[in-house]
Amino acid sequence: MPEVNSSDILKKLKANELSNVYYIYGKDILTVEGITKAVLKKTLGKNWNNDCTKIEGKNIDISSLIDIMEISPMFSDFNAILINDLNAEELSADKVQQLIDAIENLPDQTVLIINITGFDVKNGKRFFLSLIHISEPTRQAEI
């Protein structure tokens, strides 16, 4: 998984180069939120705020998330899912593996955005390091 900065993501969005997975984190919360919004706008268009499925990482149900990942979009080209503050360190090893497997098999029409605004990602390495091994279409951004 290539590590890119916020300007790299914005350049790729302008060039219509979308990825299926974005893992956006950093110390500047406003930039994390801005990049997240830019990805959603590019993915879903002007109705991005209504057409996006939003999930709080603290209350995540992995089985439901997997079902949502497989939904075909009706009014846009993509099924966009935003997970805010997913702390994989609080999940069981089985749940983390289920999530990683689901991300590896993400349908082409689904864009998964995980943004971290409430804690330091690099203090919890398990999920972060696991995502690094997922295939090329995945992008992560440290802001």
Side-chain angles (χ1 to χ4, degrees):
M1 170 192 303
E3 191 165 331
V4 297
N5 62 34
S6 58
S7 62
D8 291 337
I9 290 179
L10 293 174
K11 285 177 191 173
K12 289 185 180 293
L13 291 176
K14 282 186 179 184
N16 289 322
E17 295 177 26
L18 291 173
S19 297
N20 285 85
V21 179
Y22 292 88
Y23 193 69
I24 306 170
Y25 64 96
K27 293 178 180 156
D28 183 353
I29 294 171
L30 291 176
T31 303
V32 170
E33 290 173 349
I35 295 298
T36 300
K37 183 177 175 181
V39 172
L40 287 170
K41 279 184 168 182
K42 188 65 169 182
T43 304
L44 298 174
K46 57 184 162 185
N47 290 326
W48 67 271
N49 204 24
N50 296 324
D51 293 343
C52 174
T53 302
K54 298 174 187 166
I55 301 170
E56 283 298 319
K58 294 175 187 169
N59 304 318
I60 196 160
D61 177 339
I62 301 299
S63 298
S64 294
L65 174 63
I66 291 169
D67 290 341
I68 293 167
M69 287 176 170
E70 296 174 0
I71 292 174
S72 292
M74 295 184 70
F75 300 109
S76 65
D77 292 335
F78 296 99
N79 171 27
I81 303 165
L82 171 61
I83 303 174
N84 179 253
D85 286 343
L86 174 65
N87 187 348
E89 295 298 313
E90 295 175 355
L91 299 174
S92 69
D94 289 343
K95 294 293 182 186
V96 171
Q97 191 57 54
Q98 285 178 348
L99 181 57
I100 291 169
D101 292 344
I103 292 171
E104 287 177 333
N105 296 300
L106 202 62
D108 290 340
Q109 79 272 7
T110 299
V111 174
L112 177 65
I113 304 160
I114 302 169
N115 75 347
I116 308 299
T117 58
F119 61 93
D120 182 6
V121 150
K122 291 194 176 184
N123 281 339
K125 290 278 192 183
R126 182 173 60 171
F127 185 65
F128 178 76
L129 292 176
S130 296
L131 275 177
I132 289 173
H133 298 291
I134 295 176
S135 64
E136 171 58 35
T138 304
R139 303 263 185 250
Q140 76 185 30
E142 179 173 7
I143 309 303

